[in-house]
Amino acid sequence: MPGDLGLRVLREHVASVYAAYNASILVHFGLGAALGIVMYVHRPRWWILAWMAAHLSFGLVLFLMPRWHADVPLQDTTRWARRHSRTVTLVSMATATAPWLFISADDLPTTSVLTVVIIGSCARAMQLLWPLKPALYGYTLPMMASLIAALAWQGDAMHLFLAVFSLGYLLFTLRVGGQQHKLLTDSLVLRFENEALAAQLGVQIAAAERASAEKTRFLATASHDLRQPLHAIALFGAALENELREHHGSRNAQRLMRAVNALGNSLDTMLDVSRLDAGVITPDIAPVSLDAMFRSLNHMFAAQAEQRALQLRVRASGLWVHSDPQLLYRMLSNLVDNALKYTAQGGVSVRARARGGVVWIEVLDTGIGIAPEQQDRVFEEYYQVQNPGRDRAQGLGIGLSIVERLSRLLDHPVQVTSRVGRGTRFRLQLPMVAAAPQHEQQAAAPMQQPQRTAAAPVTFTAPAAHPLPSVKAIQAAHGRVLLIDDEAEIREAMARLLQGHGIAVETAANEAEAIDALGRPGTQAEPFVLLLCDYRLANGDNGLDVGLRLQRRFGLDAPLVLVTGETAPERLQRVRASGVPVLFKPVNAATLLRMLGDFLPGLRHAIV
Ligand code: ADP
């Protein structure tokens, strides 16, 4: 046993014998006094009174002696254990005088009483002292040895019988005491080892939680830092794409934009995982119509299925479930996306069945299947069965880890069954609710157009780039956009993009420049119809506060739209609470123009 563990076990033993200290003294010396009285009544002799007085005085001294208490340092435990063993040995040696004083061959009643009292003391000692073996031996041996010897000394058959009986009892007591001691010691060792393991586990869990929080922070920071230049690339690229529209270089510009969009999507996916891990996503549970959701899935994946010459079958069930519509949609779209990706021929079907108060949603495919030993691993982050080269075109290996995290968050258990070469079935289990007609529209609505907004708890992949509206078509737009961004590059790129689409833009690096622009004469003739603000501005300013201050100061009707690469959940929360619309960097030109179209009437006409 290692030193510290041994000391802790000993400390428990010492604590348990000292817990019975008072009772032991009272019982031992009480019995001694009772014995003395009986002896004196039976045969009044002065030395019996002297023996009683000495005996009781010794008891009093022990009663007043300092004892072990819970504040005694661990290192002193051995000293206290020895001290207790010594004390009880002395008590026993003092009591060992009694047999030689009281036992005589012609007084069997006295012999019997004394034998019973000493054996009784031993029995009690075994119960109280077995945690400390030296104390058990120290207390029982002198008393019993003296009794046995005194009995045997008398030489007659009766006394010899009592001596043998007492010897047998002594051996039995010591054996049982030893066994009990071992049992108690083993269970204490086990308890301390378990406590140490639990503490170690606690430390490891805390370290894992810290690592996870650091990963989330790192991803949020890296994501923000990567989004900034990517945003500039996206804007310049979109402007370039627009400028090269009629030119032979337009194909390259389109490819560039596809790569930028793909990178933006990867960043969003990584961010989703870290936000789910950080526990900042809170589900918004409501009755959800599965028919409406399946329609949206069909709408989203029909083209992909057709392109791969696969059948996508989505079956209406009329069922409703209790879930968060956005998050459930995210789970199902990841499953359907995988099913299509890993199926070469045949098809994919999505269906729901009710069974005993629960609904099972199944996504089945006739694809390559997943081997049994891989079926748990596919839910791990970045785990892919067959992509050692990490070809991005084959995915990131995150889709199912998001499904698994959402399944835990929403409490929708997910199961997979699959046969290699035959296909795969993913099943989700959800609580069923009765159809609620008034919910039908709300439940279906968020699914129609998943998009990246601050209100969406999980970012959705930006919609595929739509063809941009032509310059001519939107030249009818009037009014100007005031763009506030502290980065000159972004101001220039955004201005080029918007101007390329016939939208007049004024740029400002900060609040002071924006005040200048808004206060300039001529603003009446060509008013600002929109404030487009970067969220994180120089000198600790933020676009939300700046934009709201400008609206107040100039009494502007022009709405505010924020652009952010911000990913820290607390900050997103603040933006979300303000209700101001947000675009996430890298901003896709089509999304930006669509958003602007909502605020610039001429532009909306051109885009819708
Ligand atoms: P990926 O981006 O690689 O699709 P996922 O986390 O979505 O990442 O899936 C992890 C792995 O699980 C995939 O690489 C693929 O090997 C396997 N997998 C997922 N869904 C299916 C499916 N329906 N059929 C066969 N294999 C699948």
Side-chain angles (χ1 to χ4, degrees):
M1 213 186 300
D4 199 35
L5 181 60
L7 270 186
R8 289 175 70 197
V9 171
L10 187 63
R11 185 188 167 87
E12 291 297 311
H13 289 331
V14 170
S16 101
V17 293
Y18 268 99
Y21 189 84
N22 280 348
S24 305
I25 290 181
L26 271 177
V27 173
H28 182 90
F29 290 96
L31 274 178
L35 179 73
I37 291 168
V38 171
M39 293 300 154
Y40 188 75
V41 170
H42 180 60
R43 209 190 289 171
R45 300 277 191 279
W46 67 268
W47 52 263
I48 297 182
L49 291 178
W51 182 87
M52 265 173 68
H55 193 70
L56 286 176
S57 314
F58 187 32
L60 190 66
V61 170
L62 291 182
F63 194 74
L64 297 174
M65 256 167 50
R67 308 146 189 218
W68 179 91
H69 51 88
D71 296 333
V72 169
L74 185 66
Q75 305 86 280
D76 291 351
T77 308
T78 320
R79 195 162 58 80
W80 279 93
R82 277 202 213 111
R83 182 183 175 141
H84 192 72
S85 303
R86 266 199 314 268
T87 306
V88 295
T89 309
L90 277 177
V91 169
S92 179
M93 282 161 72
T95 315
T97 52
W100 295 102
L101 289 176
F102 299 123
I103 291 177
S104 67
D106 57 347
D107 189 357
L108 203 54
T110 301
T111 304
S112 312
V113 169
L114 191 69
T115 308
V116 166
V117 166
I118 290 185
I119 286 186
S121 293
C122 271
R124 198 180 42 80
M126 193 198 71
Q127 284 164 9
L128 296 178
L129 292 176
W130 52 257
L132 271 187
K133 248 164 123 182
L136 176 68
Y137 291 140
Y139 185 76
T140 47
L141 280 178
M143 238 171 13
M144 287 296 285
S146 156
L147 175 69
I148 294 163
L151 286 170
W153 185 258
Q154 304 307 316
D156 60 286
M158 184 57 84
H159 282 90
L160 277 176
F161 168 76
L162 282 176
V164 171
F165 175 79
S166 301
L167 180 64
Y169 186 78
L170 173 65
L171 295 177
F172 168 77
T173 302
L174 294 181
R175 183 149 187 272
V176 174
Q179 284 170 344
Q180 298 276 52
H181 173 83
K182 187 172 179 319
L183 262 177
L184 179 71
T185 305
D186 289 351
S187 74
L188 283 172
V189 168
L190 207 65
R191 187 184 110 196
F192 288 132
E193 280 175 354
N194 282 345
E195 279 176 11
L197 274 180
Q200 214 179 340
L201 202 65
V203 170
Q204 278 170 1
I205 290 173
E209 278 170 355
R210 259 199 319 279
S212 171
E214 269 161 28
K215 183 189 80 177
T216 305
R217 229 186 354 264
F218 168 78
L219 270 177
T221 315
S223 176
H224 180 265
D225 294 352
L226 288 172
R227 275 163 204 273
Q228 282 298 102
L230 195 61
H231 181 53
I233 295 171
L235 293 174
F236 278 123
L240 199 67
E241 193 182 7
N242 190 38
E243 284 163 19
L244 296 177
R245 196 178 281 273
E246 315 289 332
H247 196 269
H248 66 269
S250 68
R251 295 261 311 272
N252 286 337
Q254 279 166 11
R255 284 191 196 119
L256 172 76
M257 289 317 293
R258 271 205 297 277
V260 169
N261 285 336
L263 196 52
N265 293 343
S266 296
L267 281 179
D268 286 346
T269 314
M270 278 157 60
L271 186 64
D272 287 347
V273 174
S274 71
R275 291 174 65 202
L276 279 166
D277 284 350
V280 293
I281 294 175
T282 34
D284 197 358
I285 304 290
V288 180
S289 154
L290 290 184
D291 286 356
M293 183 162 290
F294 286 7
R295 269 199 303 279
S296 298
L297 279 172
N298 194 32
H299 187 68
M300 184 169 176
F301 289 102
Q304 192 178 332
E306 202 176 297
Q307 228 173 32
R308 299 177 54 89
L310 295 171
Q311 255 197 341
L312 175 62
R313 235 181 291 145
V314 171
R315 220 180 281 167
S317 61
L319 292 170
W320 284 67
V321 292
H322 229 215
S323 185
D324 176 309
Q326 295 241 8
L327 301 179
L328 177 60
Y329 187 83
R330 179 64 192 263
M331 288 177 89
L332 292 177
S333 56
N334 280 9
L335 293 176
V336 175
D337 186 48
N338 274 350
L340 290 169
K341 223 163 47 175
Y342 299 107
T343 302
Q345 47 182 304
V348 172
S349 79
V350 184
R351 62 189 188 202
R353 294 163 183 206
R355 209 173 291 159
V358 296
V359 171
W360 290 94
I361 301 181
E362 300 183 338
V363 178
L364 301 110
D365 65 58
T366 54
I368 58 172
I370 306 170
E373 67 277 10
Q374 306 280 2
Q375 285 175 14
D376 281 336
R377 298 214 61 195
V378 290
F379 290 99
E380 291 170 16
E381 259 168 71
Y382 304 108
Y383 186 81
Q384 294 180 296
V385 177
Q386 275 177 332
N387 192 8
R390 299 215 55 81
D391 171 9
R392 214 217 140 268
Q394 292 183 42
L396 288 173
I398 295 183
L400 286 183
S401 68
I402 290 181
V403 169
E404 197 265 337
R405 283 165 168 81
L406 288 174
S407 136
R408 263 188 283 137
L409 182 70
L410 296 173
D411 197 16
H412 299 340
V414 58
Q415 293 175 357
V416 57
T417 41
S418 182
R419 281 177 65 190
V420 175
R422 301 293 289 275
T424 305
R425 179 183 70 174
F426 282 93
R427 295 210 303 172
L428 298 183
Q429 189 194 338
L430 303 94
M432 184 163 72
V433 284
Q438 71 272 28
H439 289 123
E440 189 142 10
Q441 281 197 337
Q442 300 163 15
M447 250 53 61
Q448 301 302 340
Q449 217 172 20
Q451 51 180 284
R452 300 190 297 159
T453 68
V458 169
T459 50
F460 278 95
T461 314
H466 291 283
L468 298 181
S470 79
V471 177
K472 271 199 200 122
I474 56 176
Q475 246 147 20
H478 61 86
R480 287 181 294 163
V481 171
L482 178 59
L483 167 69
I484 307 170
D485 197 311
D486 56 327
E487 280 193 46
E489 293 248 296
I490 304 280
R491 286 199 301 277
E492 195 192 330
M494 189 79 99
R496 256 179 80 181
L497 174 70
L498 295 181
Q499 280 157 0
H501 287 87
I503 301 167
V505 190
E506 188 82 28
T507 61
N510 49 38
E511 188 170 0
E513 286 188 24
I515 291 173
D516 248 22
L518 285 162
R520 226 171 278 150
T523 309
Q524 299 279 351
E526 210 186 344
F528 287 105
V529 289
L530 185 80
L531 298 181
L532 190 57
C533 281
D534 184 38
Y535 183 76
R536 209 190 274 189
L537 296 173
N539 303 324
D541 263 346
N542 76 70
L544 180 62
D545 293 345
V546 167
L548 293 176
R549 274 202 297 271
L550 291 173
Q551 280 179 327
R552 262 200 311 276
R553 178 171 178 155
F554 292 93
L556 291 178
D557 290 333
L560 171 65
V561 172
L562 292 171
V563 181
T564 185
E566 207 58 74
T567 47
E570 353 34 276
R571 292 199 199 115
L572 286 181
Q573 202 74 30
R574 219 196 128 217
V575 177
R576 180 200 289 200
S578 73
V580 172
V582 185
L583 291 168
F584 286 94
K585 295 177 182 180
V587 172
N588 173 303
T591 313
L592 172 66
L593 291 170
R594 204 177 307 113
M595 169 83 98
L596 296 186
D598 287 342
F599 299 108
L600 303 169
L603 191 61
R604 186 199 295 139
H605 173 74
I607 293 169
V608 172

